[in-house]
Amino acid sequence: MKNIAVFASGTGSNFEQIVTRGISGARISLLVTDKICNALTIAHRHAIPAVTFERKDFETKTAMEEAIIRVLEERRIDLIVLAGYMRLLSPPFVHRYENRIINIHPSLLPLYKGKHAIQQALEDGRKLYGVTVHYVNEGMDDGQIIEQVRVVYDGLDIEQLESRVHEAEYELYTRVIQHLVDQEATT
Ligand code: GRF
């Protein structure tokens, strides 16, 4: 049984979808957040252990990341799933978990990195949107792409567009995580 940690900073809807859809051969063993946020409520509801590491409680980012790593090691975490975690992980952390950290981003990367990706694409008058799951490196929304899905949308309603993109995220993220867990089981 593989152990997965989800990192989140906000709503946590991807986190909840991964939990409720389920990953066979793995359990969501831990939620890590960088602040008090709704994702913690979801963890509580599903009886998933959760820890919050706030930057202000540590002298350096390195000290904070070392504390996170200690918890990940205690819990024997195999895969780290970033789901709306709004912090860049530094090189030592990324190297410690090389190819075992993934992220989801609501655009067809390399287009529209960073925050407000959906809004920017809409403002550019796009009709083709999408979602990317990629391995995490030191960059923002960078790293090798694992899979992308396209979302075609011809309207102007940002809420409707966001909800379509999020639906695509839930399906894609669960599928990619399952695939990575299955792959690990056979290697
Ligand atoms: C998602 O759109 C994800 O792609 C991005 O941050 C958002 C997180 O949403 N990285 P939620 O917290 O999972 O609802």
Side-chain angles (χ1 to χ4, degrees), residues 10-167:
T11 317
S13 69
N14 277 278
F15 167 50
E16 183 152 44
Q17 288 288 327
I18 295 162
V19 170
T20 54
R21 289 172 189 231
I23 306 294
S24 63
R27 65 171 86 84
I28 312 303
S29 314
L30 183 67
L31 173 74
V32 175
T33 76
D34 65 339
K35 59 171 127 162
I36 304 302
C37 60
N38 188 62
L40 293 166
T41 310
I42 295 170
H44 185 73
R45 192 154 66 225
H46 293 276
I48 294 169
V51 279
T52 300
F53 291 92
E54 294 195 53
R55 177 65 186 83
K56 67 173 171 56
D57 295 334
F58 296 87
E59 261 184 36
T60 61
K61 182 171 176 176
T62 304
M64 183 183 78
E65 289 187 342
E66 283 171 358
I68 297 176
I69 289 173
R70 278 196 291 279
V71 176
L72 298 177
E73 284 179 347
E74 269 166 35
R75 304 239 166 213
R76 301 184 181 285
I77 297 299
D78 301 293
L79 178 68
I80 298 170
V81 169
L82 307 187
Y85 185 66
M86 300 305 281
R87 288 186 172 275
L88 271 188
L89 297 168
S90 60
F93 190 105
V94 170
H95 293 143
R96 171 73 183 74
Y97 284 93
E98 190 114 53
N99 290 326
R100 292 193 290 147
I101 314 174
I102 60 173
N103 182 43
I104 190 158
H105 185 73
S107 78
L108 294 170
L109 288 173
L111 293 173
Y112 305 110
K113 294 183 177 185
K115 287 184 193 172
H116 314 301
I118 301 174
Q119 190 187 332
Q120 282 173 19
L122 183 69
E123 283 169 8
D124 280 355
R126 301 248 170 201
K127 308 270 179 254
L128 181 61
Y129 302 85
V131 177
T132 304
V133 176
H134 63 94
Y135 286 108
V136 169
N137 64 13
E138 302 83 347
M140 188 180 54
D141 301 324
D142 207 22
Q144 192 198 323
I145 291 173
I146 302 172
E147 199 174 325
Q148 297 184 304
V149 289
R150 295 163 168 221
V151 174
V152 178
Y153 179 71
D154 202 0
L156 293 172
D157 181 342
I158 181 121
E159 279 177 23
Q160 193 175 49
L161 171 59
E162 277 172 350
S163 87
R164 292 202 189 167
V165 171
H166 289 316
E167 269 309 313

